[in-house]
Amino acid sequence: MELLRLVHGYILPPLLPVPLITTPLTLITLVLFVWSLAPALKGEVRPGFVVWVRVTWLAFLLPAVTGVALALGGLKVPSSTDVGGGLTKYGLPVDPKRDGEHWMYAAFALLSLFIIEVLIAGRLLDRRKGLRYLPVVTLFLYGVAYMVARVAVFPGNSVATGT
């Protein structure tokens, strides 16, 4: 169980003064966003980009599978787990609603990855037109990856307002 926690909760050392890259998934999705600008402008997808999308899938699925295993073991995200005195292991107020938000953002990440696959395959839209939306979806995916990590640590507004 400790190995699952280690894999699921791995964070990167601070790379920037502003914590925009907190986990491997945020780093990989940020690279995907920057890389998605080229296919959007050129109107074509190169094999390297497709490989990076697969790497992003792997980076998402590893914590997702370990998270499901931890949830089946009865664990919740740290921000909604009381370790004593109404505080989390980070010393912040407990917010039970954050566990649901963590799952919601994970679902958004899965949906975003699926939409990226559809756009690069050209299934619903003409491929060149669909690739124009690629940076929007990859930026959204980066934001979702960032929020997955954020809601696991920090309490939400419901703690401050008491709702």
Side-chain angles (χ1 to χ4, degrees), residues 25-119:
L25 186 58
T26 56
L27 176 61
I28 289 169
T29 55
L30 186 59
V31 170
L32 184 70
F33 163 66
V34 172
W35 201 339
S36 72
L37 297 172
L41 294 173
K42 293 180 181 177
E44 67 177 286
V45 177
R46 300 257 167 98
F49 182 78
V50 175
V51 168
W52 195 254
V53 171
R54 301 305 184 271
V55 167
T56 307
W57 270 105
L58 180 64
F60 169 74
L61 290 176
L62 189 59
V65 169
T66 57
V68 169
L70 290 168
L72 291 174
L75 298 177
K76 296 185 181 298
V77 298
S79 63
S80 64
T81 304
D82 190 347
V83 295
L87 298 176
T88 67
K89 74 178 189 176
Y90 300 109
L92 300 169
V94 173
D95 188 358
K97 294 180 181 179
R98 291 306 238 187
D99 196 55
E101 286 182 64
H102 192 71
W103 284 98
M104 175 191 69
Y105 285 119
F108 281 153
L110 183 63
L111 179 64
S112 299
L113 285 165
F114 177 73
I115 291 171
I116 291 168
E117 291 288 346
V118 168
L119 290 175

